[in-house]
Amino acid sequence: MKLATLNDGTRDGRLIVVKRDNSAYAFATNVALTLQAALDQWDALEPRLRALAEELEAGRVQSRPLDVSALLSPLPRAYEWVDGSAYLNHVVLVRKARNAEPPPTLKTDPLVYQGGSGTFLSPTQDIPLVDEAWGMDFESEVAVILGDVPLGTQAKDAEKHVKLVMLCNDVTLRNLIPNELAKGFGFFQGKPSSSFSPFALTPDELGPAWKDGRVHLRLRSTLNGQVVGDTDAGPEMHFSFFDLLQHISKTRPFTAGTILGSGTVSNEDRARGISCLAERRMIETIEAGGPKTPFMKVGDRIEIEMFGPEGQSLFGRISQKVVKP
């Protein structure tokens, strides 16, 4: 099942069900007005949404042509946005970029931060950049939307709490982060509004690609028309979504509608490319003594997409241009 949120001029939009080929949609508002409303009663409403999706595929319900530019992020705002850093190659490279050592618990204790969740950008919305000196970067990620998660949930029991899967552009202002971290109190200004893919899928839509709490597919990042990354999101995700879920629920529960991110998808094989510019800059530093690639500037466009085995765009395309606000 593929869900999305249509921009109807309200803060939270209207829930729609989307055809598998992304060509058309049907309103789901007779089941739930918004995606958050559906998540709040997921066990009761999910079967009705699936039935509607089947009717849409069979052409037995009124549908409308889909214009991706009319969509908000699946959750235009969320109760919480928690992002991990599950790809160890990314952790190592980015830490080197700011002359910091990886934590001694790198392989045993996941890194997470809590970002702002009240003003997500839509998947085709411009990214405002006040000052290019801030060092804007994209970060191509996989994310999941959770149902209610009890305190102390274990990884072996986590799968039932993952309701939907989507993609993310976790925008980062790299040059603001070192001074923030030097205060010993984490990210804040260095993490502006993120955006998410047009569509959120139930895990079963991914078939065998959804395995052990990971999405075993390639994630493509295209910057200014050039493919810069075709990274494999599966094997090198050291901490699965189930591991991350166990980690974050150690001391508190989470409510339905919480978004959990994988962190930047990263592969040791450099032929796979990059999912953020910080990695390319670090590789340039290692190989040539200093970075050559600039961070994003006004006018740049980043596109993020994931394809199924038959070449279909599963989550739709994040396509955003950097602009002066």
Side-chain angles (χ1 to χ4, degrees), residues 246-265:
Q246 174 178 302
H247 178 78
I248 67 172
S249 66
K250 179 178 180 178
T251 60
R252 69 180 191 265
F254 287 84
T255 191
T258 296
I259 302 174
L260 176 62
S262 68
T264 304
V265 177

Side-chain angles (χ1 to χ4, degrees), residues 36-66:
Q36 183 60 53
L39 290 162
D40 286 339
Q41 302 181 68
W42 189 255
D43 290 344
L45 299 183
E46 188 252 4
R48 294 175 59 189
L49 289 170
R50 282 190 180 276
L52 177 60
E54 291 171 6
E55 293 288 299
L56 176 63
E57 291 295 333
R60 294 193 295 265
V61 67
Q62 182 180 4
S63 66
R64 295 170 171 81
L66 180 66

Side-chain angles (χ1 to χ4, degrees), residues 2-18:
K2 185 175 291 192
L3 302 176
T5 294
L6 187 69
N7 185 356
D8 67 346
T10 65
R11 191 184 296 269
D12 297 307
R14 297 176 70 183
L15 179 62
I16 60 174
V17 174
V18 179

Side-chain angles (χ1 to χ4, degrees), residues 253-302:
F254 287 84
T255 191
T258 296
I259 302 174
L260 176 62
S262 68
T264 304
V265 177
S266 181
N267 297 157
E268 288 188 20
D269 181 1
R270 293 179 183 173
R272 294 263 60 84
I274 50 95
S275 297
C276 72
L277 293 173
E279 286 195 11
R280 173 178 281 181
R281 287 167 58 88
M282 190 60 238
I283 292 169
E284 291 169 345
T285 298
I286 293 170
E287 295 180 346
K292 298 179 181 178
T293 299
F295 286 120
M296 297 181 76
K297 59 186 182 298
V298 171
D300 285 350
R301 179 173 293 276
I302 178 63

